[in-house]
């Protein structure tokens, strides 16, 4: 009699290979260290220091008081889908139908995972920038596919060139993933550069997943929505959310818009894994879209003041920093200290109690840089710069 040995027992492994291949987020490691310390100034966490504007929270509280605590439709409350589509139309002139072309998700995080699982087959390749947001390559790996990196550099303002993307295309390439304004660099893309990527995507019939979670956080330049470029809407999965613009990270609400076919596939996975985005969060998002515009404008003005202050300060203390035009991150070079980004971040935390994130957490090209989130008070930024200045002086080569 032959015994069936399943490959898992053979490998004597409980954890799947897919999960084993993921590296723990380099950001989390620093949060864990940080939690054990007192008086730390954190430029680490990538989220607004504001609480959600009260009228937004209040709308959700009222809905709970009225007993509105059930599941919603898998796609999300119709009014929210309708308002989001109208918002995209007003802001960028693009038409998506609230019935079938939009899905409300548990943040862009879920939308990203769904997008990958809906379009990728094992062995497919997805082209993305290095450095990139920590979840991008992991979502591709979880879909049993391969992330393919296009290096970006400060000399180019961390923008990505269409020709560099095109050079990475193989017969396995299925999609291009772009995320601008960028986490971790704060880079933005000009309309012209995005048009060139759109041409490459059309020429090679590739899907573009565009993570535009920081779309509202740009300084001195208008955001170009990728899906609004001529002839590329059919190829695009546009991801957006409420976390950053409305200071709603903990509510966990975002969305994906795309063709009916793609949204239907994403909705199937969402239906079996999530069911529906949190109901109170959807109610809060409705309020945000209806009455939250002035809050966004006010917060963006404030981030801009902090951005100018930190970029100037970092350059003055001897950490060269290119000018980020979006999101709320500065990404200075730490080359003058001769340390690796992990070494720099760990020493800075231990010796001066300032938390930053090592650039290596965002890919190989992030080495030699650290991410400083300036969504914190000006007073804290000022004190952090003072401490970092002392640190750089001590270790400068
Ligand atoms: N995309 C980028 C580039 C991010 O920086 C983040 C969060 O930091 C996310 C997606 C996840 O956002 P959400 O809170 O909508 O899941």
């Amino acid at each position: 009699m032959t015994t069936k040995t399943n490959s898992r027992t053979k490998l004597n492994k409980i954890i799947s290979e897919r999960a084993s291949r993921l590296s723990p987020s380099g950001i989390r490691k620093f949060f864990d260290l940080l939690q054990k310390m007192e008086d730390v100034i954190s430029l680490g966490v990538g989220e607004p220091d504001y609480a959600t504007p009260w009228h937004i929270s209040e709308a959700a509280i009222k809905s709970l008081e009225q007993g509105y605590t059930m599941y919603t439709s898998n796609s999300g409350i119709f009014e929210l889908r309708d308002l989001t589509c109208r918002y995209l139309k007003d802001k960028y002139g693009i038409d998506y139908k609230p019935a079938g072309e939009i899905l409300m998700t548990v943040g862009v995080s879920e939308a990203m995972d769904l997008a990958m699982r809906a379009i990728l087959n094992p062995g497919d390749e997805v082209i993305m920038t290095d450095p990139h947001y920590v979840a991008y390559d992991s979502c591709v790996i979880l879909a049993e596919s391969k992330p393919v990196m296009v290096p970006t550099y400060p000399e180019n303002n961390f923008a990505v060139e269409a020709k560099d993307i095109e050079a990475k295309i193989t017969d396995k390439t299925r999609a291009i993933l772009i995320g601008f304004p960028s986490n971790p660099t704060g880079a933005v893309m000009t309309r012209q550069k995005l048009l060139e990527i759109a041409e490459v995507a059309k020429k090679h019939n590739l899907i573009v997943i565009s993570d535009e979670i920081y779309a509202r956080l740009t300084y001195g330049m208008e955001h170009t929505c990728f899906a609004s470029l001529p002839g590329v809407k059919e190829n695009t999965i546009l991801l957006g959310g409420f976390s950053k613009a409305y200071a709603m990270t903990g509510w966990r609400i975002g969305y994906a818009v795309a063709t009916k076919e793609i949204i239907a596939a994403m909705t199937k996975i969402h239906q079996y894994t999530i069911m529906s985005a949190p109901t109170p969060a959807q109610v809060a998002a409705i309020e945000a879209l209806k009455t939250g515009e002035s809050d966004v404008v006010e917060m963006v003005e404030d981030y801009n003041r902090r951005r100018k202050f930190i970029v100037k300060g970092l350059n003055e203390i001897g950490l060269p920093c290119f000018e980020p035009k979006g999101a709320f991150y500065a990404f200075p070079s730490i080359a003058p200290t001769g340390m690796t980004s992990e070494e720099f971040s760990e020493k800075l935390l231990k010796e001066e109690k300032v938390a930053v994130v090592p650039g290596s957490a965002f890919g190989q090209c992030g080495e030699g840089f650290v991410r400083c989130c300036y969504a914190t008070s000006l007073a804290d930024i000022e004190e952090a710069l003072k401490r970092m200045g002392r640190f750089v002086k001590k270790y400068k080569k």
Side-chain angles (χ1 to χ4, degrees), residues 118-277:
I119 64 162
L120 298 176
N121 285 315
D124 283 347
E125 295 178 357
V126 177
I127 298 173
M128 63 182 71
T129 62
D130 181 359
H132 55 261
Y133 174 54
V134 290
Y136 290 173
D137 50 344
S138 302
C139 284
V140 172
I141 291 169
L142 282 172
E144 303 198 15
S145 297
K146 186 177 161 205
V148 174
M149 300 299 155
V150 177
T152 59
Y153 303 100
E155 297 73 35
N156 230 0
N157 290 340
F158 286 107
V160 62
E161 301 290 333
K163 67 174 171 31
D164 296 336
I165 291 178
E166 193 163 27
K168 298 281 179 178
I169 295 175
T170 69
D171 56 358
K172 299 221 173 80
T173 308
R174 176 82 178 112
I176 302 167
L177 165 55
I178 49 174
F180 293 97
S182 156
N183 175 5
T185 64
V188 293
M189 290 280 280
T190 60
R191 183 179 166 83
Q192 182 52 38
K193 281 200 190 302
L194 289 173
L195 275 169
E196 288 162 17
I197 294 177
E199 284 312 310
V200 169
K202 281 190 278 182
K203 183 172 150 197
H204 296 273
N205 195 24
L206 299 174
I207 291 183
V208 175
I209 301 164
S210 188
D211 173 2
E212 301 187 18
I213 191 163
Y214 293 103
R216 295 306 310 275
L217 274 54
T218 58
Y219 312 102
M221 73 178 286
E222 281 296 307
H223 174 74
T224 301
C225 175
F226 191 82
S228 71
L229 300 173
V232 85
K233 189 181 145 210
E234 298 290 299
N235 292 45
T236 306
I237 306 178
L238 167 63
L239 311 182
F242 296 81
S243 288
K244 314 290 177 172
Y246 297 95
M248 289 177 66
T249 49
W251 294 86
R252 312 307 304 124
I253 183 80
Y255 58 87
V257 289
T259 60
K260 266 198 159 71
E261 193 188 6
I262 293 176
I263 292 297
M266 289 174 68
T267 306
K268 266 196 284 180
I269 308 171
H270 171 82
Q271 185 180 331
Y272 294 125
T273 51
I274 300 292
M275 192 84 97
S276 57

Side-chain angles (χ1 to χ4, degrees), residues 303-350:
Y303 293 141
N304 196 14
R305 275 190 286 276
R306 303 171 192 191
R307 178 185 72 100
K308 289 180 186 159
F309 188 76
I310 198 167
V311 171
K312 184 165 173 280
L314 287 166
N315 281 305
E316 280 171 4
I317 62 172
L319 297 180
C321 185
F322 99 106
E323 191 191 346
K325 297 251 174 80
F328 36 48
Y329 307 106
F331 203 59
S333 162
I334 52 155
T337 65
M339 294 183 204
T340 66
S341 59
E342 269 217 46
E343 231 185 310
F344 181 98
S345 308
E346 265 186 57
K347 272 204 163 107
L348 180 67
L349 183 59
K350 284 184 185 143

Side-chain angles (χ1 to χ4, degrees), residues 82-151:
D82 190 42
L83 280 168
T84 307
C85 291
R86 281 167 199 255
Y87 169 86
L88 292 171
K89 171 80 176 161
D90 290 349
K91 207 105 205 110
Y92 307 117
I94 35 176
D95 279 302
Y96 285 101
K97 295 191 182 57
E101 292 181 340
I102 179 166
L103 171 65
M104 303 313 301
T105 57
V106 180
V108 167
S109 302
E110 190 216 347
M112 179 66 66
D113 178 45
L114 294 180
M116 296 303 176
R117 286 200 279 162
I119 64 162
L120 298 176
N121 285 315
D124 283 347
E125 295 178 357
V126 177
I127 298 173
M128 63 182 71
T129 62
D130 181 359
H132 55 261
Y133 174 54
V134 290
Y136 290 173
D137 50 344
S138 302
C139 284
V140 172
I141 291 169
L142 282 172
E144 303 198 15
S145 297
K146 186 177 161 205
V148 174
M149 300 299 155
V150 177

